[in-house]
């Protein structure tokens, strides 16, 4: 779909309805619509970004890491499905819960042909963590295209943000399924949201 502001407003201010949350792949919807997924470490600002993209609160924002414990599917009009994935890298969940999340994520990535892209959220204050690298390897193995979004980019100094962006992009060169550039955004200031709208529209 070609980006234009009128169509973008229609999509991202139109209907966006929660359809289901799944903890087992047998519960996956049979829709063939394009799916756009969001992944990231716990407390990276995923829910805030999703809400900023859609221009209203659809995802629950929590200061408690590990709140999203299932794959949550939102139907965005007739255009695409938005998928909110469980946060990873949260140490205080049980080993069995972590194993269950990892299995759910891995199997979803490997077996969903209509998944167009995963937006992988990385905190711009901290850069890539080991758990981010693990997720990137999982995405590479599943051959799922992904783009790194640097969240909370209004918080670090400009020089620090620049250094983090360059370090992340250097790491991305080692990952075949990754888009080579990282995109700073701020849910609070609205920075980069239009860019994400444009990316999504180019993929659906």
């Amino acid at each position: 779909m070609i980006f234009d502001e009128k169509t973008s407003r229609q999509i991202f201010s139109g209907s966006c309805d929660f359809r289901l949350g799944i903890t087992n792949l047998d519960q996956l919807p049979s829709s063939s619509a394009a799916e756009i997924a969001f992944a990231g470490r716990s407390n990276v600002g995923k829910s805030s970004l999703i809400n900023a993209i859609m221009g209203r609160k659809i995802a629950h924002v929590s200061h408690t890491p590990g709140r999203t414990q299932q794959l949550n599917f939102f139907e965005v009009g007739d255009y695409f499905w938005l998928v909110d994935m469980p946060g990873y890298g949260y140490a205080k969940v049980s080993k069995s819960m972590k194993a269950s999340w990892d299995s759910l994520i891995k199997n979803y990535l490997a077996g969903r042909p209509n998944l167009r892209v995963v937006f992988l959220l990385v905190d711009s204050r901290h850069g890539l963590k080991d758990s981010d690298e693990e997720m990137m390897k999982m995405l590479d193995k599943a051959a799922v295209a992904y783009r790194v979004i640097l969240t909370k980019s209004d918080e670090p100094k400009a020089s620090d943000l620049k250094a983090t962006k360059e370090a992340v992009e250097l790491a991305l060169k080692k990952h075949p399924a990754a888009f080579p550039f990282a995109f700073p955004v701020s849910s609070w200031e609205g920075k980069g949201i239009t860019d994400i709208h444009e990316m999504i529209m180019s993929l659906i």
Side-chain angles (χ1 to χ4, degrees), residues 22 25 28-29 34-38 71-73 81-86 101-118 138 142 144:
I22 70 165
L25 288 190
L28 272 173
E35 291 176 4
I36 307 293
F38 290 78
L71 288 170
N72 290 321
F73 287 77
W81 288 60
L82 186 155
V83 185
D84 184 8
M85 299 176 68
W101 290 0
D102 288 350
S103 176
L104 177 67
I105 291 170
K106 186 182 297 184
N107 291 331
Y108 169 68
L109 294 176
R112 200 63 174 168
N114 45 325
L115 176 59
R116 295 288 189 268
V117 73
V118 172
M138 191 183 296
V144 173

Side-chain angles (χ1 to χ4, degrees), residues 24 32 38-39 41 69 92 127 136 148 152 164 182 199 203:
N24 187 306
S32 61
F38 290 78
R41 286 173 53 83
Q69 299 181 4
K92 293 185 179 181
M136 290 159 73
V148 169
K152 306 179 183 182
T164 297
M199 290 181 221
L203 293 163

